[in-house]
Amino acid sequence: AEDGIRDVAVTGVQTCALPISGVAQADRTCVPGPYANCAGADLDGIDLRGRDLHGINLKAASLKAADLTDADLSGAQMQNANLSAATLNRTDLTKANLKWACFDIASLQRADLRKANLYEASFDDANLAHADFRSTLLSKVTLSGSTLTGADFSNATLLNTAFVNVRARGADLSGAKFAGSGGGAMGFGPRSNAVSDSGTYIRNSDFTDADFSGSRTSSRALIPVVLNDFGRQQSGVTFSYSTFTGADF
């Protein structure tokens, strides 16, 4: 694929396994710190727990299985970075540029992602329990198989984002807006995990006791939908095969 980490034609979602193309490797001896240039660096498995890394340049860097627990990555440049299987529990990612970044199978429990650029970021099978996405734009983000228990999406904008097979019990989506740049609801088939320009898609997901109060689709207030074997569309959002028992609409 053009950006080197996703091949929608093959998988329907981005994959972390592909190499990054067109980006020169930086000095692998870079010393991570505030505003350090570690673009393209191989930092797989590195221990950066509790480190101050605000503003660091990690564009196209590989941090697979790295430990960034309690680290400060606010304002970091992390476009195309590969953080698959990394640990980012309680990590500060506020205002970080995570465009095209890969967090598949990563742990981001209680991570702070407010105001981060999440365009086409992938969190497939990631643990995002109690993560903070308040007032954040999630555009074409994939969350297939992720854990979102207690995650806070209040007042977030969910643009063409796919919630597929997610566990989001007790998640807060109050005041959230579900939208699609194409103005409609997603129209792809029930087995698709791909994102679309048509809207946000919720399939095979558990939103038991979640809070949707005050949330809206592109054109009107969100209507509660409990489905067993069929889908329901509204402008900007599609629900299918999902559970909303006890959810607050």
Side-chain angles (χ1 to χ4, degrees):
E2 182 180 354
D3 56 295
I5 64 168
R6 57 189 58 73
D7 191 346
V8 175
V10 175
T11 64
V13 295
Q14 62 179 294
T15 173
C16 297
L18 299 176
I20 304 299
S21 59
V23 178
Q25 290 292 310
D27 183 354
R28 292 173 184 255
T29 62
C30 77
V31 179
Y35 299 102
N37 181 14
C38 291
D42 183 352
L43 300 171
D44 291 349
I46 193 169
D47 186 348
L48 295 171
R49 288 175 291 176
R51 294 281 296 274
D52 181 2
L53 304 169
H54 72 272
I56 191 172
N57 183 352
L58 289 167
K59 294 178 183 177
S62 182
L63 294 104
K64 291 180 289 185
D67 192 344
L68 292 146
T69 301
D70 293 316
D72 181 357
L73 284 162
S74 58
Q77 299 299 307
M78 301 173 68
Q79 301 93 310
N80 263 328
N82 188 341
L83 292 104
S84 56
T87 302
L88 298 103
N89 298 331
R90 300 178 301 280
T91 299
D92 185 352
L93 290 158
T94 55
K95 298 184 179 179
N97 191 338
L98 307 177
K99 185 176 182 180
W100 301 319
C102 184
F103 294 92
D104 292 359
I105 327 174
S107 180
L108 296 99
Q109 297 179 70
R110 300 188 183 278
D112 191 344
L113 294 124
R114 288 175 296 167
K115 303 293 185 180
N117 181 351
L118 298 173
Y119 181 77
E120 288 193 2
S122 177
F123 295 92
D124 291 342
D125 297 307
N127 188 343
L128 289 151
H130 302 284
D132 192 347
F133 293 93
R134 284 177 291 169
S135 302
T136 300
L137 171 63
L138 286 81
S139 179
K140 294 190 175 181
V141 175
T142 61
L143 294 154
S144 178
S146 63
T147 297
L148 295 167
T149 304
D152 193 345
F153 292 91
S154 57
N155 299 308
T157 299
L158 304 164
L159 180 67
N160 308 320
T161 289
F163 293 88
V164 180
N165 299 321
V166 304
R167 296 168 296 282
R169 290 185 169 226
D172 186 352
L173 293 101
S174 59
K177 181 180 179 181
F178 296 83
S181 57
M186 285 193 176
F188 47 76
R191 294 185 179 276
S192 177
N193 293 337
V195 292
S196 157
D197 287 332
S198 304
T200 287
Y201 190 76
I202 297 174
R203 181 175 68 82
N204 287 351
S205 297
D206 184 357
F207 281 88
T208 298
D209 295 325
D211 184 359
F212 288 87
S213 60
S215 58
R216 298 186 61 82
T217 65
S218 299
S219 60
R220 57 189 181 277
L222 195 65
I223 299 173
V225 183
V226 180
L227 302 165
N228 294 315
D229 57 354
F230 59 91
R232 180 72 60 84
Q233 295 185 357
Q234 292 192 60
S235 180
V237 61
T238 296
F239 299 94
S240 65
Y241 306 97
S242 297
T243 301
F244 297 90
T245 305
D248 181 5
F249 290 89

